[in-house]
Every structure is written in structure tokens, then in C-alpha cells.
């Protein structure tokens, strides 16, 4: 049995862009059981932009699950943004998870926005000024909540959804200098602490599509500028060798 996961991130919708994705999303159930959105749904995180997201991704024929991105925090309207999305039937995760009954089994999705900090040998450390400690604390606290959410789900196939990257592999193409602002190794550790089959993230517009955590979990950067289509579809299932991932050509967006 196979579970089919469609995913895209960094759609950055506003009044000028709304409608761009919708044609490719109609009858999504023909090729996917669920749609995951990897944050940066909006340009500046306004309630008005959230309504564009609701218009674009609400009322689809598959469940839609999202995390927010840094852009969705820009105008300090997160509660309003979340409410608009929830009212449109979109599940917004932040340190929690959900289990969906799919034809191919029970799919568990745990999500957090995540945060930066960098990767092994080139990362921020919990040392010195209070501001630096607060920065690192934000990252570790987010990763801890992701681990807890992943471990708390009773399901057949487990997927981690973040905005920030859990590994440096999928940042290849970005300037090295900004890696610490694009992701953090603690997110990868959280993903490896559970039997995660696939980790999906966005945020790295100039990054690469494929990566692997130190523990061997497949990581996919689904930022729209990277996948260059409305969404990618990944197939996960027992007979696919512990979560083999396939990418289908979905649409021309
Ligand atoms: Fe983005
Ligand atoms: Fe972002």
C-alpha cells in the first residue's frame, strides 16, 4: 500500500499572485492523499494575504496541512493568519501533529516552523550574550517540540514538516554565509529521534531538492523556486523500501 504526499513551500501569495496555483490543485486526489505546505504561504504575513492562501488552498479534495514560515510572521498577525487558514479547513501545525487515515495506511505528520542556527562545525552555540542564548534556545525549543510531536503520533508512516531546513544538503546553491539563517542541525536530530520516513521543508529558495539526515531520513526541499512546479508528489509505503521517494511531474507552474 502506498501513501501519496503532495508538497510545496514558499508560495508567497498576495493579491497579485493568488490564483496561480489553483488550476493545478483541482482534482488533486487523483494523484495525492494529502497536500503539505512548508511555510512562507504569504509575502508579509497579513490577514489579507492569508485570505489569498485560504482562497488558493481551501476546499481542495484532499486534506491540507501547513506550518508557517518566517514571512508569515512579518506583520505580527500570526493569530489572525492561523484563524483564516483554519476557517478554510487548513490544519496549521506548530509543535504538534495529526494522523490521517489514508487508503495506504495511517499517515502521521508532525510540524514546526523551526529556526536557524547552522550545522555541525558552523553553528551558533549557547554561549555568551543573552541575545545569542535566546537565539539558540529558540532553535532547540522548536526542535524539542518537533521530536515530541513526532514521537507522539501513532501511525504507519511518519512525516516531518518544517519551514527551516534540518540538513545542509538541501541548501546547496545558497551562499554558505547564510546557511545559519536557513536551518539548524537540531531539527535533523529531532527527525532522527523518531521513525521518520520523510522530512519536507522550504525556506531555501536557491537550495537543492534532495538531502539525507545523519540518521538516513530522506529530506526534500519543496520550496516552489526549487521544485519549479505547483507541487511534488512523494510515494511512501512498506513495499517501497522503507520510504522510497519518487517525484512526479505534476504541472507546469
Ligand atoms: Fe520563502
Ligand atoms: Fe522563509
Amino acid at each position: 500500500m502506498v501513501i501519496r504526499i503532495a508538497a510545496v513551500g514558499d508560495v508567497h501569495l498576495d493579491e497579485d499572485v493568488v490564483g496561480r496555483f489553483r488550476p493545478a490543485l483541482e482534482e488533486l486526489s487523483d494523484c495525492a492523499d494529502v497536500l503539505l505546505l512548508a511555510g512562507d504561504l504569504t509575502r508579509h504575513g497579513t490577514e489579507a494575504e492569508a485570505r489569498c492562501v485560504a482562497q488558493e488552498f481551501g476546499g481542495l479534495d484532499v486534506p491540507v496541512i501547513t506550518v508557517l514560515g518566517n514571512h508569515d510572521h512579518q506583520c505580527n498577525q500570526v493569530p489572525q493568519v492561523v484563524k483564516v487558514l483554519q476557517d478554510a479547513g487548513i490544519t496549521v501545525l506548530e509543535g504538534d501533529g495529526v494522523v490521517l487515515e489514508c487508503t495506504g495506511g495511517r499517515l502521521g505528520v508532525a510540524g514546526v516552523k523551526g529556526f536557524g542556527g547552522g550545522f555541525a562545525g558552523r553553528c551558533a552555540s549557547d554561549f555568551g550574550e543573552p541575545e545569542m542564548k535566546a537565539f539558540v534556545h529558540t532553535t532547540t525549543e522548536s526542535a524539542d517540540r518537533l521530536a515530541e510531536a513526532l514521537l507522539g503520533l501513532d501511525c504507519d508512516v511518519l512525516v516531518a514538516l518544517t519551514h527551516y531546513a534540518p540538513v545542509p544538503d538541501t541548501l546547496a546553491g545558497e551562499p554558505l554565509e547564510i546557511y545559519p539563517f536557513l536551518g539548524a542541525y537540531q531539527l535533523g536530530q529531532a527527525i532522527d529521534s523518531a521513525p521518520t520516513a520523510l522530512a519536507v521543508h522550504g525556506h531555501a529558495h536557491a537550495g537543492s531538492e534532495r538531502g539525507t539526515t545523519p540518521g538516513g531520513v530522506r529530506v526534500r526541499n519543496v520550496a516552489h523556486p526549487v521544485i519549479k512546479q505547483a507541487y511534488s508528489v512523494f510515494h511512501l509505503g512498506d513495499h517501497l523500501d522503507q520510504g522510497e521517494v519518487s517525484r512526479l511531474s505534476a504541472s507546469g507552474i
Side-chain angles (χ1 to χ4, degrees):
M1 299 295 275
V2 172
I3 297 177
R4 308 165 304 168
I5 298 164
V8 63
D10 300 86
V11 294
H12 289 284
L13 291 180
D14 63 11
E15 288 82 353
D16 295 332
V17 185
V18 67
R20 180 183 184 189
F21 290 82
R22 189 72 191 198
L25 299 169
E26 302 294 353
E27 298 170 7
L28 189 57
S29 62
D30 288 350
C31 69
D33 298 304
V34 63
L35 174 63
L36 305 184
L37 300 175
D40 277 4
L41 310 172
T42 65
R43 296 200 70 79
H44 299 102
T46 65
E47 191 174 348
E49 290 177 352
R51 282 195 287 273
C52 296
V53 179
Q55 187 179 330
E56 198 84 344
F57 294 101
L60 297 181
D61 60 359
V62 299
V64 180
I65 301 172
T66 193
V67 291
L68 299 186
N70 55 313
H71 278 251
D72 306 318
H73 282 250
Q74 169 62 16
C75 283
N76 293 319
Q77 295 180 22
V78 167
Q80 298 94 314
V81 166
V82 168
K83 182 169 189 321
V84 168
L85 298 179
Q86 289 174 336
D87 286 349
I90 297 171
T91 300
V92 183
L93 299 180
E94 179 49 50
D96 52 353
V98 63
V99 176
L100 301 175
E101 295 283 347
C102 303
T103 308
R106 291 168 303 160
L107 170 66
V109 181
V112 291
K113 175 177 62 63
F115 202 50
F119 300 92
R122 300 286 188 274
C123 59
S125 61
D126 183 18
F127 182 89
E129 303 91 330
E131 292 85 354
M132 183 56 80
K133 289 174 179 163
F135 177 76
V136 174
H137 176 76
T138 301
T139 305
T140 53
E141 196 258 348
S142 180
D144 288 347
R145 284 188 294 123
L146 176 60
E148 198 173 324
L150 284 165
L151 290 166
L153 295 178
D154 180 16
C155 58
D156 302 313
V157 172
L158 185 59
V159 172
L161 176 63
T162 63
H163 180 60
Y164 284 76
V167 295
D169 313 20
T170 47
L171 304 184
E174 297 278 5
L176 277 173
E177 291 85 349
I178 67 168
Y179 274 32
F181 306 107
L182 296 176
Y185 74 92
Q186 293 96 328
L187 296 171
Q189 287 182 334
I191 289 161
D192 282 342
S193 73
T196 313
L198 173 68
V200 173
H201 75 86
H203 192 45
H205 292 206
S208 305
E209 199 172 343
R210 290 167 171 254
T212 310
T213 66
V217 178
R218 322 283 177 101
V219 179
R220 295 295 180 266
N221 176 2
V222 295
H224 179 245
V226 172
I227 64 173
K228 297 183 173 64
Q229 55 187 2
Y231 52 83
S232 291
V233 179
F234 307 105
H235 287 190
L236 298 175
D238 291 341
H239 75 288
L240 290 173
D241 186 23
Q242 285 291 319
E244 177 181 330
V245 175
S246 65
R247 180 178 191 266
L248 306 182
S249 275
S251 87
I253 277 190

